[in-house]
Amino acid sequence: MSESESAREPLAWRLRAIVGEQNVLESEPMSEHTTFRVGGPADLYVIPEDAGEVRDVLRACDEDGVERFVLGRGSDLLVSDEGYRGVIVAVADGLVGVTVDGAEMTCEAGVDLREASEMACELGLSGLEFACGIPGSVGGACFMNAGAYGGCVADVLKSVRVVSPDGSIDTLGVDELELGYRRSRVASEGLVVLSATFALEKGDPEKIRATMDDLMRRREEKQPLELPSAGSTFKRPEGHFAGKLIMDAGLMGYQVGGAAVSRKHAGFVVNLGGATSADVHAVIEHVQDEVERQFGVRLEPEVRFLG
Ligand SMILES: Cc1cc2nc3c(=O)[nH]c(=O)nc-3n(C[C@H](O)[C@H](O)[C@H](O)COP(=O)(O)OP(=O)(O)OC[C@H]3O[C@@H](n4cnc5c(N)ncnc54)[C@H](O)[C@@H]3O)c2cc1C
């Protein structure tokens, strides 16, 4: 047991009392919980299974002064090779319920967006078609205001249930969330999403399916979905497209170790196999420097860094 792990032992016992022995993992490799498939071990990896457990886990970490990070499906995340010296609160592993009331669909934070989209289609509910190829969780999607092909979470979200930093559980309407391009109050104020209610519309399942099939086809044609990545590495800079700038800078295929700028879509950094987090960082930094040198635009990562 490392020094930081033994320092965590009293907290680990407290967390086991909250979520059960089987839901507290030690030295858990984060490469298994991120779509990039890179990242070293987290000291503690905790899986709460309901709202009360999420709140109690957060409170225990905060009272012990131990850093904690709320994990969704790890599809927008680059964890360092050294891992994370704190507690991963794996909301997406335990909160996966869905309820439907007329055209309203309430998904717990861990529900996979693609599954939510699929379920809505099967129920003849329109509005989540845009989400059919986004491999994130509902919680992560609210955090990022995830979107694609002209649609985004803000268009269909009605409300979210959150744990606030003071430990209270509140329901916030979409207008209170300040959703913008890849930003939200969830992110700026450290709210933890427990569930989200989407206000959808009755639609023809065949039309909904056709739209989803079309979006998936467009994704498969343009994106390197066969390789691990975290989707678009950079945010869209004002007045430009990140992928075009990277391509014009001659960086397609630029490689460090096992990480490279995709040859299929320059906006994606991919893991060609065996990449380390340091490799991915090196590619990202080189791309930022080179694009800035050539075009005077500093690309801002969309991917979030941990550890
Ligand atoms: C192949 C591929 C394609 C993609 N395409 C798109 C796309 O078209 N559009 C798009 O927007 N994104 C896309 N992404 C990126 C990613 O899927 C989204 O940003 C998604 O919303 C991230 O959700 P997550 O659950 O994986 O979050 P994570 O990566 O686990 O976490 C991201 C951030 O969200 C926070 N978070 C997660 N859950 C919660 C919660 N319950 N409460 C509070 N905060 C939380 C985390 O703390 C972290 O800061 C793509 C990714 C891949 C790999």
Side-chain angles (χ1 to χ4, degrees), residues 173-248:
V174 63
D175 296 343
E176 297 175 272
L177 286 177
E178 295 164 17
L179 295 169
Y181 175 65
R182 304 293 176 265
R183 66 182 166 77
S184 70
R185 247 182 91 190
V186 174
S188 62
E189 294 184 14
L191 310 176
V192 177
V193 178
L194 296 168
S195 66
T197 298
F198 299 104
L200 306 175
E201 286 177 5
K202 292 251 178 259
D204 174 358
E206 275 181 30
K207 277 197 192 146
I208 297 170
R209 169 74 53 208
T211 305
M212 286 165 61
D213 286 349
D214 176 49
L215 295 183
M216 269 325 290
R217 220 176 0 254
R218 284 156 69 179
R219 236 178 230 281
E220 279 157 12
E221 265 170 34
K222 297 226 169 83
Q223 299 183 358
L225 301 182
E226 62 287 357
L227 290 171
S229 77
S232 299
T233 312
F234 301 99
K235 289 184 183 170
R236 194 175 57 232
E238 191 93 24
H240 299 275
F241 289 102
K244 170 116 180 38
L245 289 173
I246 297 166
M247 198 163 63
D248 292 349

Side-chain angles (χ1 to χ4, degrees), residues 246-266:
I246 297 166
M247 198 163 63
D248 292 349
L251 292 167
M252 258 184 155
Y254 174 78
Q255 184 174 348
V256 177
V261 173
S262 164
R263 290 188 182 280
K264 194 168 175 186
H265 188 313

Side-chain angles (χ1 to χ4, degrees), residues 51 54-55 58 161-165 167-170 190-194:
V54 173
R55 184 199 48 211
L58 296 172
R161 198 158 164 253
V162 297
V163 185
S164 297
S168 62
I169 294 183
D170 306 300
L191 310 176
V192 177
V193 178
L194 296 168

